[in-house]
Amino acid sequence: QAQLVESGGGLVQAGGSLRLSCAGSGSIFSTSALGWFRQSPGQEREFVAHISQMGGNKYYANSVKGRFTISRDNADNTMYLQMNSLKPEDTAVYYCAAYAQQASSLRSRASPNSYRYWGQGTQVTVSS
């Protein structure tokens, strides 16, 4: 059974940086595109970033473009989200998941329903 585990969250001041990690087990990691989502209390799960299987294609939500960078190391079964210039509105639980669709489109990459093997999440809190 594939499993993804997030880590690296914490409390940071506005303008600061954090790097999240998503460690994968099983063959699903190296054979799948991956994504990061976030969810605040009372809000729907929101797309943050997506990276293709080999890491050559990366996509970001407009709200994080230019501040966040997604990357992966398939040899180490780990995906990363480098978050810079953090804002209070970035506060959320961040989740990683494996993309489960055959085709890739803007709409499918941004939909939580397109992913499986969700991790348990890691809390990111940005203070003002």
Side-chain angles (χ1 to χ4, degrees):
Q1 177 72 18
Q3 185 176 10
L4 299 175
V5 179
E6 304 93 341
S7 63
L11 173 63
V12 63
Q13 288 188 330
S17 299
L18 281 174
R19 188 173 83 154
L20 305 184
S21 298
C22 172
S25 63
S27 62
I28 192 67
F29 187 93
S30 59
T31 60
S32 299
L34 301 168
W36 284 101
F37 285 75
R38 65 187 183 186
Q39 189 168 20
S40 303
Q43 303 295 317
E44 294 186 351
R45 195 162 293 190
E46 174 191 23
F47 170 74
V48 174
H50 173 106
I51 187 166
S52 60
Q53 179 186 346
M54 299 306 295
N57 294 312
K58 303 174 184 181
Y59 307 90
Y60 299 92
N62 288 335
S63 58
V64 306
K65 200 172 293 184
R67 300 188 297 122
F68 290 11
T69 301
I70 190 172
S71 62
R72 66 189 295 169
D73 182 346
N74 285 347
D76 203 27
N77 281 355
T78 305
M79 175 176 65
Y80 302 97
L81 186 68
Q82 177 66 45
M83 306 186 296
N84 298 329
S85 302
L86 283 161
K87 305 175 181 180
E89 50 263 44
D90 294 318
T91 295
V93 177
Y94 283 71
Y95 300 90
C96 62
Y99 189 67
Q101 303 300 314
Q102 292 294 324
S104 181
S105 68
L106 176 63
R107 184 171 184 172
S108 63
R109 289 190 297 269
S111 171
N113 294 330
S114 299
Y115 295 79
R116 59 180 175 176
Y117 301 124
W118 293 87
Q120 83 291 345
T122 185
Q123 175 71 47
V124 171
T125 303
V126 184
S127 63
S128 58

